[in-house]
Amino acid sequence: MSSKATHFFLFILWLFFLWNSSVFGQTISPETESCLTCHRTVTPGIVADWESSRHSRVSPGEGLKKPFLERRISASGLPDSLQNVVVGCGECHRLRPKRHADTFDHNGMDVHIVVTPEDCGVCHPQEQGQYRQNKMAHARTNLTQNDLYQDFVKAVNGLQAYYDHTLVLHNPEDQTNKLSCYFCHGTRVTVEGMVPRETAFGEMTFPDLSGWPNQGVGRINPDTSKGSCTPCHARHAFSIEVARKPYTCGECHKGPDVLAYKVYEASKMGNIYSSLKEQWDFQAVPWTIGKDFTAPTCATCHMSLLVDEQGNEIAFRSHRMNDRLYVRLFGLPYAHPQPRSPETSAMKNEAGLQLPTNLDGSMVQGPLIDQNEQMKRKQKMQSVCQGCHSTQWVNKHFSDLDHVIRTTNIRTLEATKILQQAWHRGLERGIPQRSNIFDETLEKKWVLSWFFYSNSTRLAAAMAGADYAVFDNGRWQLALNLREMEDWLELKTVADSVGGTERLLP
Amino acid sequence: MSSKATHFFLFILWLFFLWNSSVFGQTISPETESCLTCHRTVTPGIVADWESSRHSRVSPGEGLKKPFLERRISASGLPDSLQNVVVGCGECHRLRPKRHADTFDHNGMDVHIVVTPEDCGVCHPQEQGQYRQNKMAHARTNLTQNDLYQDFVKAVNGLQAYYDHTLVLHNPEDQTNKLSCYFCHGTRVTVEGMVPRETAFGEMTFPDLSGWPNQGVGRINPDTSKGSCTPCHARHAFSIEVARKPYTCGECHKGPDVLAYKVYEASKMGNIYSSLKEQWDFQAVPWTIGKDFTAPTCATCHMSLLVDEQGNEIAFRSHRMNDRLYVRLFGLPYAHPQPRSPETSAMKNEAGLQLPTNLDGSMVQGPLIDQNEQMKRKQKMQSVCQGCHSTQWVNKHFSDLDHVIRTTNIRTLEATKILQQAWHRGLERGIPQRSNIFDETLEKKWVLSWFFYSNSTRLAAAMAGADYAVFDNGRWQLALNLREMEDWLELKTVADSVGGTERLLP
Amino acid sequence: MSSKATHFFLFILWLFFLWNSSVFGQTISPETESCLTCHRTVTPGIVADWESSRHSRVSPGEGLKKPFLERRISASGLPDSLQNVVVGCGECHRLRPKRHADTFDHNGMDVHIVVTPEDCGVCHPQEQGQYRQNKMAHARTNLTQNDLYQDFVKAVNGLQAYYDHTLVLHNPEDQTNKLSCYFCHGTRVTVEGMVPRETAFGEMTFPDLSGWPNQGVGRINPDTSKGSCTPCHARHAFSIEVARKPYTCGECHKGPDVLAYKVYEASKMGNIYSSLKEQWDFQAVPWTIGKDFTAPTCATCHMSLLVDEQGNEIAFRSHRMNDRLYVRLFGLPYAHPQPRSPETSAMKNEAGLQLPTNLDGSMVQGPLIDQNEQMKRKQKMQSVCQGCHSTQWVNKHFSDLDHVIRTTNIRTLEATKILQQAWHRGLERGIPQRSNIFDETLEKKWVLSWFFYSNSTRLAAAMAGADYAVFDNGRWQLALNLREMEDWLELKTVADSVGGTERLLP
């Protein structure tokens, strides 16, 4: 009991030092001090946000001294300038000035606006390297360099003019694309010149950025690098807590096309997270199953460095998202093994479309990972699951997922058959007519089938998301949509046979 | 260090007094005490809720002594009766008894049931005055006094009887309207008479209220005032924390017609809010950017009194919601500048419809704010954005929004052209037939185009809500819906030309 | 003041003991200790989760000593083996070994995998008994033993093959059903044999379970019992906090067919919950209105033992969900009084369908509770509402709900008339053809009408969920859907009359 009392007073003492240490200032570089002088007034939110960050309290030099598993930076060495100062404006916005087309003279300092993965990589090279191997880093170019995907972009964003009783699809404006697909996939940010602007401190001149603002994961930056760290590590607090919470992933993965967040939220895991998260530690590195949390978030299963209470490693940190993924569940007509390369536009199917599968669901050989690699990745994920689930539970869960992949792929195949009939009869113009396959009614309903409903059904199986497999964009909608496709084909055929479209003429 | 220790002990002392002061009772009026005697038993939740409120702890007199920016009441003077007692049942439910048709004798006191903005305005006159200028205060009458909107109400709420192979639309019942549109827009609350009721304390007589219960923002109250404070300041805690959190706005702004809450939730701002809100202060007045919060809620941008850490005012509090809004993004076929007057039913377009735009998207001159006023309001909002974003970021963000307004308005125009064809051919009955323009299939699909999808696309641009601009009721749905409208027109024309509807006869 | 100071120091002392007591170990049985030895390593999450539970800290013997209202176990007596040890692996997984087909020898102990309501009932017999009377316990058999529902299951889960210009509906695979309807409703878990598996401790043999993993509420277990406690009391923490928070109910009640969670979330109650929940006590038993919370969750209104601050009972705990429900709002074409028996497959309407209503909305006499019982249950719920709402408020709220039941039932009736026309004309095959009534387009649109939209409209009325009664799967969608049904009938009739389907032949 008296040792308990000692503990109690040590606890109070510890609280005191904790409070004290957060008050002690760390060394801020003169450059950062000079930025703060004005920006404390002109952008107070940015400064206060940064002040709440670990960057503002710990120098990279100190960070490097931590035990390996607790380390948040992965550099083996650091430039002298970053050893003994905390990481502030003056550090990040002045790195690699020559490489940045957006570098400009700002009150006597060469600063750039857009901090890129190459900049962050000075202290976090391993994360940068992994992210470069991540499909997300190529999210923009995988769209822009794929003719088929460009047809999809056009079908979504292009204005349709009703002219002479027909809808004519126009090319989308760049600004529309920026606010639509490329909002998440990333814009190309270029410097269009320098523009003067009146400020609180007199006239100043700034680079004029096109494709800005944007925080897409595959953004092309003024230093030619690809990607962005801030979609997940929201500036300027760069809080690991924010990155680990599911809302971050949910920014882009919530809609009916990529509803992973919603499925998670409806799952048992999401339930426990929502119920108990205030009692968990989202800042601990490494992250201890059971001690720091009792249910996973997106980051837990897909990215984080996990240990058990004895400190045994359960999974290594990775910023290459598909390290623990053996199949690709969403985005394309048929689920299929993960592609080998994060740059997917080189893939081509038998019909010449830049897809890893043919329209009948058969896989294109070569660009996809083989069974061996699939098994390896599946096992990585399973070892995370097994932190909280028995082996039988986990094995059967994945066998269920494989079942769903197979049966939803059949759903796509049947929908494709109806669409091909429409093309064959000339009711819509598709592959036989070398036309956009996403811009007409039945084509769009075909897209719904796999892009929304099969996707939802699969993700629900992957994360145990109940109704997303049934009535919430799941099998019910798959069945209804297929019936509507069948009806459409019949009605259009009949209309056509009695001279349909001509009757539209006035 | 020793000054640190002093701070620590002062902190402990402060904690002690804080705890102490919340225990010290404030003066409760004898009237309130008498209410509490019974209501502690009959409605324990109401009493406990009130006890958790600031109203139960601070008298208006004390409130008035606070420094200007910290003040939560805006009256310059107060009635004697409210100076030195906390604000309890006996205060609010007994104000202005003669003006209240629902005043009745309750155990010897004249009390009324429905506390209205006029009552709250005794201490909060500035908020009351602003709210009176707020479109929300007129949310009911703007519906009831607009013939076009009444057609919409009928098309939503009226029962459709299938009779003789046709659907016949009936007028909606009042009770249906109450539970549908007027749930948010507000009912008319009137006293239908007095009714006796058996209670725990014997038989008592109460006013019988029609249109009750209701907390719509534009409710018409038994004292003839318009509006209600409780939709946002949920009684009986009237917690500023609740009002400032986005769930309050989300009660009415969540569906596909007004999905601001969902867009916010999916945005970077919503993400940071959800991740870090437990560390923020939602009670501070004024509200300090960076110190009290690091990402905004709805209230932050649209209403709250904001300061920076030096106490400089960034934005003034307003209960007239469109003070910081230059355009109206949702609810109507075309986005347009905010109306001058909160009472919108006086507007009339060229076709005689009570709308600020014509069917071709051109604006009705006069009732909408001019460019000068638009610029002023836009700048007010931008100064809030600039608390956390750079000038270039903010400027380009708003230029993006303007782009989306223009292009979504074009989407409406094209949809309107197809609808007009249907009217022209007599396939549906609309403006040329002087008929309800919301009650038939194509008309309803036309509504989907702007009321759901363009609206979503615009709000996603306004708050950076990713997929709500694309696949979650965004451009994808706009494009699909327009194709379906085109198909519908073709199929109906063909059916009509071969004697369609007659074939339905048995 | 000096008594205040005393209070303060007593408070600090109490904090100390609180902290202390959670450190003191409770007696863990040798069996449980032996499980923990290995499982701490192989399933660290499970062990840590259990360690966070009340089960791991309090023995049933101690639990029984609590005052009646605070008691969490309802047994009048306990087996000796459970008196003085905390409730660990060795306790639950070894109960009633002979009754469990999944009992197997595991390192010298007879353990079973699936802990069932019968096992939990050893300490919680009252809850078990109530749950047995709960429709949820029969959620699986109510589906499997109802031919009509089986047609629905087939229409959702069966693959549709497009063959010879027609969609042919196949019977669904068992594994699909498991991941679809039975994910929530429950699978049948059977032992398929014993399988050896390599483990960290050498080869071991385990029962091979079919229908596993599953946590459906009506699961049939290897001990032949029905139901499962873990869907709501998530293992292995079995936290009452998790069960009381709405996310638990939301796992199954979130989709468009059963969107109670979403309606709640959008309601004033949900708003206050989301805004203030961190300040509430979700662990207190009994649960005090006003003190422990100021707005209800699902559990509050439907299940929990509630008291006021004087300790007066407001409502008794029940695990028979419809104890406070007088009508059944969702799942079936027409809302109707709750069924008498939780086993619903015995009901039969005039057309021989296993439904409590006829297709015209009239009720089948007998199997539904009478007016007297309805009144009793309504009053139970109302007494909960009256914890925070006035009598008039509550009465009028329920009169509104009755109005919505009546009017949405009319919506179903009109939709049914159109469907019957289609059957009559042979455009689809339904009751007259003794065919599946859920598998064709118009039939599915008919289902949307009641299964999604009327349901949403009713739940919105029941919990004041605003837009779920209007534009978010509410009346707007009801009206649009009915128009589309009318159009479909017309177009199909015309197509048919000009020899429609034959034209599909090549």
Side-chain angles (χ1 to χ4, degrees), chain A residues 376-398:
Chain A
K376 254 177 62 187
R377 297 194 186 183
K378 191 197 267 195
Q379 280 167 355
K380 269 192 208 169
M381 180 61 94
Q382 288 180 328
S383 64
V384 176
C385 304
Q386 286 173 317
C388 297
H389 295 286
S390 76
T391 307
Q392 177 166 203
W393 183 284
V394 173
N395 288 346
K396 296 204 161 176
H397 172 82
F398 280 89

PDB file of all heavy atoms in Angstrom, chain A residues 376-398:
ATOM      1  N   LYS A 376       1.331 -14.182 -50.259  1.00  0.00           N
ATOM      2  CA  LYS A 376       2.199 -13.446 -49.332  1.00  0.00           C
ATOM      3  C   LYS A 376       1.476 -12.229 -48.754  1.00  0.00           C
ATOM      4  O   LYS A 376       1.513 -11.963 -47.560  1.00  0.00           O
ATOM      5  CB  LYS A 376       3.464 -12.958 -50.060  1.00  0.00           C
ATOM      6  CG  LYS A 376       4.723 -13.737 -49.722  1.00  0.00           C
ATOM      7  CD  LYS A 376       5.921 -13.244 -50.546  1.00  0.00           C
ATOM      8  CE  LYS A 376       6.287 -11.774 -50.300  1.00  0.00           C
ATOM      9  NZ  LYS A 376       7.357 -11.316 -51.246  1.00  0.00           N
ATOM     10  N   ARG A 377       0.806 -11.514 -49.632  1.00  0.00           N
ATOM     11  CA  ARG A 377       0.129 -10.293 -49.177  1.00  0.00           C
ATOM     12  C   ARG A 377      -1.092 -10.627 -48.321  1.00  0.00           C
ATOM     13  O   ARG A 377      -1.384  -9.969 -47.338  1.00  0.00           O
ATOM     14  CB  ARG A 377      -0.301  -9.451 -50.378  1.00  0.00           C
ATOM     15  CG  ARG A 377       0.892  -8.967 -51.197  1.00  0.00           C
ATOM     16  CD  ARG A 377       0.458  -7.873 -52.136  1.00  0.00           C
ATOM     17  NE  ARG A 377       1.548  -7.502 -53.034  1.00  0.00           N
ATOM     18  CZ  ARG A 377       1.477  -6.526 -53.921  1.00  0.00           C
ATOM     19  NH1 ARG A 377       0.360  -5.824 -54.035  1.00  0.00           N
ATOM     20  NH2 ARG A 377       2.502  -6.231 -54.693  1.00  0.00           N
ATOM     21  N   LYS A 378      -1.803 -11.665 -48.739  1.00  0.00           N
ATOM     22  CA  LYS A 378      -2.963 -12.076 -47.955  1.00  0.00           C
ATOM     23  C   LYS A 378      -2.511 -12.452 -46.547  1.00  0.00           C
ATOM     24  O   LYS A 378      -3.148 -12.081 -45.546  1.00  0.00           O
ATOM     25  CB  LYS A 378      -3.645 -13.278 -48.628  1.00  0.00           C
ATOM     26  CG  LYS A 378      -5.001 -13.611 -48.053  1.00  0.00           C
ATOM     27  CD  LYS A 378      -5.483 -15.002 -48.426  1.00  0.00           C
ATOM     28  CE  LYS A 378      -6.353 -14.985 -49.683  1.00  0.00           C
ATOM     29  NZ  LYS A 378      -7.098 -16.269 -49.842  1.00  0.00           N
ATOM     30  N   GLN A 379      -1.398 -13.159 -46.455  1.00  0.00           N
ATOM     31  CA  GLN A 379      -0.904 -13.566 -45.134  1.00  0.00           C
ATOM     32  C   GLN A 379      -0.508 -12.362 -44.282  1.00  0.00           C
ATOM     33  O   GLN A 379      -0.714 -12.359 -43.076  1.00  0.00           O
ATOM     34  CB  GLN A 379       0.254 -14.545 -45.274  1.00  0.00           C
ATOM     35  CG  GLN A 379      -0.248 -15.967 -45.559  1.00  0.00           C
ATOM     36  CD  GLN A 379       0.846 -16.908 -46.017  1.00  0.00           C
ATOM     37  OE1 GLN A 379       1.987 -16.494 -46.214  1.00  0.00           O
ATOM     38  NE2 GLN A 379       0.491 -18.164 -46.209  1.00  0.00           N
ATOM     39  N   LYS A 380       0.052 -11.343 -44.925  1.00  0.00           N
ATOM     40  CA  LYS A 380       0.381 -10.119 -44.168  1.00  0.00           C
ATOM     41  C   LYS A 380      -0.874  -9.532 -43.524  1.00  0.00           C
ATOM     42  O   LYS A 380      -0.882  -9.157 -42.362  1.00  0.00           O
ATOM     43  CB  LYS A 380       0.995  -9.066 -45.111  1.00  0.00           C
ATOM     44  CG  LYS A 380       2.503  -9.141 -45.210  1.00  0.00           C
ATOM     45  CD  LYS A 380       3.033  -7.884 -45.914  1.00  0.00           C
ATOM     46  CE  LYS A 380       4.332  -8.231 -46.628  1.00  0.00           C
ATOM     47  NZ  LYS A 380       4.792  -7.167 -47.534  1.00  0.00           N
ATOM     48  N   MET A 381      -1.913  -9.445 -44.330  1.00  0.00           N
ATOM     49  CA  MET A 381      -3.150  -8.891 -43.789  1.00  0.00           C
ATOM     50  C   MET A 381      -3.714  -9.819 -42.709  1.00  0.00           C
ATOM     51  O   MET A 381      -4.168  -9.370 -41.665  1.00  0.00           O
ATOM     52  CB  MET A 381      -4.173  -8.702 -44.910  1.00  0.00           C
ATOM     53  CG  MET A 381      -5.500  -8.127 -44.459  1.00  0.00           C
ATOM     54  SD  MET A 381      -5.333  -6.481 -43.708  1.00  0.00           S
ATOM     55  CE  MET A 381      -5.629  -5.432 -45.132  1.00  0.00           C
ATOM     56  N   GLN A 382      -3.674 -11.111 -42.970  1.00  0.00           N
ATOM     57  CA  GLN A 382      -4.233 -12.062 -42.003  1.00  0.00           C
ATOM     58  C   GLN A 382      -3.515 -12.000 -40.665  1.00  0.00           C
ATOM     59  O   GLN A 382      -4.129 -12.164 -39.614  1.00  0.00           O
ATOM     60  CB  GLN A 382      -4.177 -13.483 -42.580  1.00  0.00           C
ATOM     61  CG  GLN A 382      -5.193 -13.688 -43.697  1.00  0.00           C
ATOM     62  CD  GLN A 382      -5.151 -15.094 -44.274  1.00  0.00           C
ATOM     63  OE1 GLN A 382      -4.094 -15.713 -44.319  1.00  0.00           O
ATOM     64  NE2 GLN A 382      -6.292 -15.577 -44.728  1.00  0.00           N
ATOM     65  N   SER A 383      -2.216 -11.729 -40.695  1.00  0.00           N
ATOM     66  CA  SER A 383      -1.510 -11.667 -39.411  1.00  0.00           C
ATOM     67  C   SER A 383      -1.989 -10.458 -38.606  1.00  0.00           C
ATOM     68  O   SER A 383      -1.956 -10.480 -37.374  1.00  0.00           O
ATOM     69  CB  SER A 383      -0.005 -11.643 -39.622  1.00  0.00           C
ATOM     70  OG  SER A 383       0.363 -10.473 -40.295  1.00  0.00           O
ATOM     71  N   VAL A 384      -2.455  -9.429 -39.290  1.00  0.00           N
ATOM     72  CA  VAL A 384      -3.074  -8.303 -38.565  1.00  0.00           C
ATOM     73  C   VAL A 384      -4.422  -8.742 -37.980  1.00  0.00           C
ATOM     74  O   VAL A 384      -4.702  -8.538 -36.796  1.00  0.00           O
ATOM     75  CB  VAL A 384      -3.255  -7.075 -39.481  1.00  0.00           C
ATOM     76  CG1 VAL A 384      -3.975  -5.962 -38.742  1.00  0.00           C
ATOM     77  CG2 VAL A 384      -1.903  -6.579 -39.994  1.00  0.00           C
ATOM     78  N   CYS A 385      -5.238  -9.387 -38.812  1.00  0.00           N
ATOM     79  CA  CYS A 385      -6.550  -9.855 -38.344  1.00  0.00           C
ATOM     80  C   CYS A 385      -6.391 -10.734 -37.107  1.00  0.00           C
ATOM     81  O   CYS A 385      -7.187 -10.680 -36.168  1.00  0.00           O
ATOM     82  CB  CYS A 385      -7.258 -10.674 -39.422  1.00  0.00           C
ATOM     83  SG  CYS A 385      -7.463  -9.825 -40.991  1.00  0.00           S
ATOM     84  N   GLN A 386      -5.352 -11.591 -37.164  1.00  0.00           N
ATOM     85  CA  GLN A 386      -5.161 -12.557 -36.086  1.00  0.00           C
ATOM     86  C   GLN A 386      -4.742 -11.923 -34.770  1.00  0.00           C
ATOM     87  O   GLN A 386      -4.724 -12.598 -33.742  1.00  0.00           O
ATOM     88  CB  GLN A 386      -4.181 -13.644 -36.526  1.00  0.00           C
ATOM     89  CG  GLN A 386      -4.845 -14.599 -37.513  1.00  0.00           C
ATOM     90  CD  GLN A 386      -3.879 -15.600 -38.106  1.00  0.00           C
ATOM     91  OE1 GLN A 386      -2.765 -15.240 -38.476  1.00  0.00           O
ATOM     92  NE2 GLN A 386      -4.308 -16.839 -38.184  1.00  0.00           N
ATOM     93  N   GLY A 387      -4.420 -10.647 -34.811  1.00  0.00           N
ATOM     94  CA  GLY A 387      -4.215  -9.953 -33.538  1.00  0.00           C
ATOM     95  C   GLY A 387      -5.452 -10.040 -32.655  1.00  0.00           C
ATOM     96  O   GLY A 387      -5.354 -10.062 -31.426  1.00  0.00           O
ATOM     97  N   CYS A 388      -6.614 -10.087 -33.281  1.00  0.00           N
ATOM     98  CA  CYS A 388      -7.870 -10.106 -32.512  1.00  0.00           C
ATOM     99  C   CYS A 388      -8.810 -11.250 -32.875  1.00  0.00           C
ATOM    100  O   CYS A 388      -9.868 -11.387 -32.257  1.00  0.00           O
ATOM    101  CB  CYS A 388      -8.624  -8.793 -32.695  1.00  0.00           C
ATOM    102  SG  CYS A 388      -7.746  -7.356 -32.079  1.00  0.00           S
ATOM    103  N   HIS A 389      -8.495 -12.018 -33.923  1.00  0.00           N
ATOM    104  CA  HIS A 389      -9.418 -13.074 -34.336  1.00  0.00           C
ATOM    105  C   HIS A 389      -8.684 -14.407 -34.414  1.00  0.00           C
ATOM    106  O   HIS A 389      -7.493 -14.458 -34.705  1.00  0.00           O
ATOM    107  CB  HIS A 389     -10.014 -12.746 -35.719  1.00  0.00           C
ATOM    108  CG  HIS A 389     -10.877 -11.527 -35.732  1.00  0.00           C
ATOM    109  ND1 HIS A 389     -12.141 -11.499 -35.192  1.00  0.00           N
ATOM    110  CD2 HIS A 389     -10.663 -10.279 -36.210  1.00  0.00           C
ATOM    111  CE1 HIS A 389     -12.663 -10.290 -35.346  1.00  0.00           C
ATOM    112  NE2 HIS A 389     -11.791  -9.526 -35.955  1.00  0.00           N
ATOM    113  N   SER A 390      -9.438 -15.482 -34.213  1.00  0.00           N
ATOM    114  CA  SER A 390      -8.841 -16.808 -34.275  1.00  0.00           C
ATOM    115  C   SER A 390      -8.508 -17.162 -35.726  1.00  0.00           C
ATOM    116  O   SER A 390      -9.029 -16.564 -36.669  1.00  0.00           O
ATOM    117  CB  SER A 390      -9.806 -17.845 -33.709  1.00  0.00           C
ATOM    118  OG  SER A 390     -10.828 -18.098 -34.658  1.00  0.00           O
ATOM    119  N   THR A 391      -7.656 -18.150 -35.872  1.00  0.00           N
ATOM    120  CA  THR A 391      -7.223 -18.560 -37.215  1.00  0.00           C
ATOM    121  C   THR A 391      -8.400 -19.019 -38.067  1.00  0.00           C
ATOM    122  O   THR A 391      -8.512 -18.648 -39.236  1.00  0.00           O
ATOM    123  CB  THR A 391      -6.205 -19.711 -37.093  1.00  0.00           C
ATOM    124  OG1 THR A 391      -5.173 -19.287 -36.194  1.00  0.00           O
ATOM    125  CG2 THR A 391      -5.605 -20.054 -38.433  1.00  0.00           C
ATOM    126  N   GLN A 392      -9.283 -19.804 -37.477  1.00  0.00           N
ATOM    127  CA  GLN A 392     -10.415 -20.296 -38.262  1.00  0.00           C
ATOM    128  C   GLN A 392     -11.300 -19.138 -38.727  1.00  0.00           C
ATOM    129  O   GLN A 392     -11.736 -19.075 -39.876  1.00  0.00           O
ATOM    130  CB  GLN A 392     -11.265 -21.286 -37.442  1.00  0.00           C
ATOM    131  CG  GLN A 392     -12.481 -21.762 -38.212  1.00  0.00           C
ATOM    132  CD  GLN A 392     -13.185 -22.976 -37.608  1.00  0.00           C
ATOM    133  OE1 GLN A 392     -13.875 -23.684 -38.308  1.00  0.00           O
ATOM    134  NE2 GLN A 392     -13.024 -23.231 -36.317  1.00  0.00           N
ATOM    135  N   TRP A 393     -11.535 -18.219 -37.809  1.00  0.00           N
ATOM    136  CA  TRP A 393     -12.321 -17.022 -38.132  1.00  0.00           C
ATOM    137  C   TRP A 393     -11.724 -16.312 -39.343  1.00  0.00           C
ATOM    138  O   TRP A 393     -12.399 -16.008 -40.326  1.00  0.00           O
ATOM    139  CB  TRP A 393     -12.333 -16.098 -36.899  1.00  0.00           C
ATOM    140  CG  TRP A 393     -13.141 -14.857 -37.034  1.00  0.00           C
ATOM    141  CD1 TRP A 393     -12.813 -13.731 -37.731  1.00  0.00           C
ATOM    142  CD2 TRP A 393     -14.426 -14.592 -36.448  1.00  0.00           C
ATOM    143  NE1 TRP A 393     -13.795 -12.786 -37.604  1.00  0.00           N
ATOM    144  CE2 TRP A 393     -14.800 -13.288 -36.825  1.00  0.00           C
ATOM    145  CE3 TRP A 393     -15.283 -15.318 -35.631  1.00  0.00           C
ATOM    146  CZ2 TRP A 393     -15.995 -12.698 -36.402  1.00  0.00           C
ATOM    147  CZ3 TRP A 393     -16.481 -14.738 -35.220  1.00  0.00           C
ATOM    148  CH2 TRP A 393     -16.824 -13.452 -35.603  1.00  0.00           C
ATOM    149  N   VAL A 394     -10.438 -16.083 -39.280  1.00  0.00           N
ATOM    150  CA  VAL A 394      -9.758 -15.323 -40.335  1.00  0.00           C
ATOM    151  C   VAL A 394      -9.773 -16.089 -41.655  1.00  0.00           C
ATOM    152  O   VAL A 394     -10.115 -15.534 -42.706  1.00  0.00           O
ATOM    153  CB  VAL A 394      -8.311 -14.991 -39.898  1.00  0.00           C
ATOM    154  CG1 VAL A 394      -7.541 -14.353 -41.047  1.00  0.00           C
ATOM    155  CG2 VAL A 394      -8.326 -14.080 -38.677  1.00  0.00           C
ATOM    156  N   ASN A 395      -9.425 -17.373 -41.603  1.00  0.00           N
ATOM    157  CA  ASN A 395      -9.384 -18.141 -42.852  1.00  0.00           C
ATOM    158  C   ASN A 395     -10.748 -18.165 -43.532  1.00  0.00           C
ATOM    159  O   ASN A 395     -10.852 -17.987 -44.746  1.00  0.00           O
ATOM    160  CB  ASN A 395      -8.945 -19.584 -42.570  1.00  0.00           C
ATOM    161  CG  ASN A 395      -7.472 -19.651 -42.223  1.00  0.00           C
ATOM    162  OD1 ASN A 395      -6.728 -18.688 -42.435  1.00  0.00           O
ATOM    163  ND2 ASN A 395      -7.043 -20.785 -41.675  1.00  0.00           N
ATOM    164  N   LYS A 396     -11.779 -18.371 -42.757  1.00  0.00           N
ATOM    165  CA  LYS A 396     -13.116 -18.454 -43.357  1.00  0.00           C
ATOM    166  C   LYS A 396     -13.579 -17.092 -43.858  1.00  0.00           C
ATOM    167  O   LYS A 396     -14.289 -16.995 -44.856  1.00  0.00           O
ATOM    168  CB  LYS A 396     -14.114 -19.068 -42.368  1.00  0.00           C
ATOM    169  CG  LYS A 396     -13.721 -20.500 -42.043  1.00  0.00           C
ATOM    170  CD  LYS A 396     -14.865 -21.379 -41.575  1.00  0.00           C
ATOM    171  CE  LYS A 396     -14.412 -22.834 -41.765  1.00  0.00           C
ATOM    172  NZ  LYS A 396     -15.356 -23.812 -41.268  1.00  0.00           N
ATOM    173  N   HIS A 397     -13.163 -16.065 -43.158  1.00  0.00           N
ATOM    174  CA  HIS A 397     -13.485 -14.717 -43.626  1.00  0.00           C
ATOM    175  C   HIS A 397     -12.925 -14.495 -45.033  1.00  0.00           C
ATOM    176  O   HIS A 397     -13.612 -13.986 -45.917  1.00  0.00           O
ATOM    177  CB  HIS A 397     -12.922 -13.672 -42.661  1.00  0.00           C
ATOM    178  CG  HIS A 397     -13.044 -12.270 -43.155  1.00  0.00           C
ATOM    179  ND1 HIS A 397     -14.205 -11.544 -43.038  1.00  0.00           N
ATOM    180  CD2 HIS A 397     -12.168 -11.463 -43.806  1.00  0.00           C
ATOM    181  CE1 HIS A 397     -14.034 -10.349 -43.573  1.00  0.00           C
ATOM    182  NE2 HIS A 397     -12.806 -10.283 -44.048  1.00  0.00           N
ATOM    183  N   PHE A 398     -11.682 -14.905 -45.239  1.00  0.00           N
ATOM    184  CA  PHE A 398     -11.078 -14.672 -46.552  1.00  0.00           C
ATOM    185  C   PHE A 398     -11.642 -15.619 -47.611  1.00  0.00           C
ATOM    186  O   PHE A 398     -11.728 -15.245 -48.783  1.00  0.00           O
ATOM    187  CB  PHE A 398      -9.553 -14.741 -46.467  1.00  0.00           C
ATOM    188  CG  PHE A 398      -8.976 -13.467 -45.943  1.00  0.00           C
ATOM    189  CD1 PHE A 398      -8.800 -13.254 -44.581  1.00  0.00           C
ATOM    190  CD2 PHE A 398      -8.659 -12.436 -46.818  1.00  0.00           C
ATOM    191  CE1 PHE A 398      -8.295 -12.046 -44.097  1.00  0.00           C
ATOM    192  CE2 PHE A 398      -8.150 -11.229 -46.346  1.00  0.00           C
ATOM    193  CZ  PHE A 398      -7.975 -11.034 -44.985  1.00  0.00           C
TER     194      PHE A 398
END
